[in-house]
Amino acid sequence: MELKRPRTVAAVLAGFGLAITLTGCGGGSIENATADGDTECGDLDVAINPWVGYEADAHVLGHVAETQLGCTVNYKDLDEQVSWKGFGSGEVDVVVENWGHPELQKKYMADQGGDGSAVDFGSTGNEGVIGWYVPPWMAEKYPDITDWNNLNKYASLFKTTESGDKGTLYDGDPGFVTNDEALVSNLKLDYKVVYAGSETALIEAFRDAEKNKKPMLGYFYEPQWFLSEVDLVKIDLPEYTDGCDADAAKVACDYPVYDLNKVVSKEFADSKSPAVDLVKNFSWTNEDQNLVAKYISVDQMNPDDAAKKWVDANPEKVDAWLKE
């Protein structure tokens, strides 16, 4: 399954003509060596994929790297696929939150037959769930709507100008991880996938749907702070079984539960940067991520300030990340 998520790619691609910096964490240059033989961090290049939970991960990790290890953290707004391409070019050291991507693993991970530029660095501790959701008022008024078998019965409720005579299933962005067009086709549902454009657009649409009792069916996911504001109700799609999504064109099952993980460049993994252990040890919960994401999205805090607030309140977790 191709797991995708938000942000535009156009502005991102321009950055990939840049030369590799000699002082990067993965560079292993002599300039990173101190007099006593220890290795300074230098630059740490962290991809920022376009959803706020990822941003929370990255800035908390980056704040600790800067304040505790002396790294110069460079945040790069990149689509997921472009982020992985950056491992080989030297533009990216770390992808903090990966949602599967078997197609990218096969291309970039040595143990999957790829070029070896990407290395799995273990779980973030977050459990990822993707699915279709309706606002709470709809589940209350139409209790059987949460069974996918009944969706065609309610298709007319979800008609929009974008979907014509079909119901609308809102996705976020074509860059998100999604099987939805295949699911609609293979489950013979009377719906059309319409891209809302971003995580923010999905949230605003669901918020409006609940407040004003408007019908809405849309793609959404956890961890995600918004679910503490509007308790969206998940549609029961056909149960996921191992391998049911192996052929993207024939998918007719729910999404799996993802053990979200970190992926780094081989160059960075083999370096003696002190940030290597930090990234490897970084782990927290969905609740931790949602709290920092809420600081950023709802409280309108600068991501660095939001990260500092969480780090200052959780010294024991941070200390565990810093152990060699």
Side-chain angles (χ1 to χ4, degrees), residues 27-303:
S29 71
I30 194 170
E31 290 152 354
N32 283 342
T34 61
D36 60 5
D38 291 335
T39 303
E40 294 179 349
C41 184
D43 287 350
L44 179 62
D45 296 322
V46 180
I48 301 285
N49 293 163
W51 59 95
V52 71
Y54 185 110
E55 193 172 16
D57 286 344
H59 279 271
V60 167
L61 180 71
H63 179 77
V64 176
E66 286 182 332
T67 59
Q68 300 295 320
L69 302 178
C71 307
T72 299
V73 179
N74 304 307
Y75 299 109
K76 302 187 175 184
D77 291 343
L78 301 171
D79 178 85
E80 288 161 291
Q81 289 78 7
V82 180
S83 300
W84 284 60
K85 182 179 178 181
F87 293 140
S89 71
E91 294 292 330
V92 174
D93 292 322
V94 182
V95 166
V96 188
E97 183 179 290
N98 172 55
W99 285 70
H101 287 294
E103 80 288 357
L104 295 178
Q105 293 179 40
K106 290 176 183 177
K107 188 172 182 178
Y108 297 112
M109 288 185 169
D111 63 353
Q112 300 292 320
D115 65 14
S117 60
V119 178
D120 181 357
F121 245 37
S123 175
T124 66
N126 297 124
E127 185 176 84
V129 176
I130 294 175
W132 298 355
Y133 294 79
V134 292
W137 79 265
M138 291 202 78
E140 292 174 9
K141 185 170 182 178
Y142 311 105
D144 64 341
I145 201 171
T146 59
D147 182 342
W148 75 271
N149 289 288
N150 298 318
L151 286 177
N152 279 346
K153 181 170 72 171
Y154 295 105
S156 61
L157 292 176
F158 300 102
K159 286 183 181 179
T160 64
T161 55
E162 297 103 325
S163 63
D165 61 351
K166 297 179 180 293
T168 295
L169 168 63
Y170 283 108
D171 269 29
D173 179 289
F176 285 27
V177 177
T178 177
N179 294 327
D180 288 355
E181 289 185 350
L183 281 167
V184 166
S185 175
N186 296 329
L187 295 177
K188 295 180 171 50
L189 296 176
D190 233 359
Y191 288 79
K192 179 181 179 180
V193 174
V194 175
Y195 292 96
S198 67
E199 178 181 69
T200 300
L202 274 177
I203 288 172
E204 288 304 319
F206 272 122
R207 181 182 282 135
D208 181 59
E210 177 62 15
K211 179 180 179 181
N212 295 302
K213 302 297 184 285
K214 295 179 180 178
M216 179 172 171
L217 174 66
Y219 169 109
F220 213 64
Y221 42 86
E222 304 173 45
Q224 174 40 255
W225 65 267
F226 178 65
L227 295 177
S228 64
E229 176 186 328
V230 178
D231 191 17
L232 302 180
V233 181
K234 192 172 183 292
I235 302 296
D236 294 324
L237 293 171
E239 185 178 0
Y240 176 85
T241 56
D242 190 33
C244 70
D245 57 353
D247 186 338
K250 297 180 179 179
V251 175
C253 60
D254 206 345
Y255 293 88
V257 175
Y258 297 95
D259 179 14
L260 306 186
N261 67 307
K262 300 152 289 186
V263 183
V264 303
S265 73
K266 180 69 161 58
E267 185 181 18
F268 172 74
D270 291 344
S271 75
K272 296 185 182 300
S273 167
V276 170
D277 285 331
L278 169 62
V279 176
K280 189 174 289 186
N281 293 337
F282 174 79
S283 179
W284 64 350
T285 66
N286 284 15
E287 290 74 21
D288 290 327
Q289 184 192 105
N290 286 342
L291 181 58
V292 178
K294 179 180 177 295
Y295 292 157
I296 297 169
S297 295
V298 180
D299 301 340
Q300 295 294 295
M301 293 181 68
N302 177 283

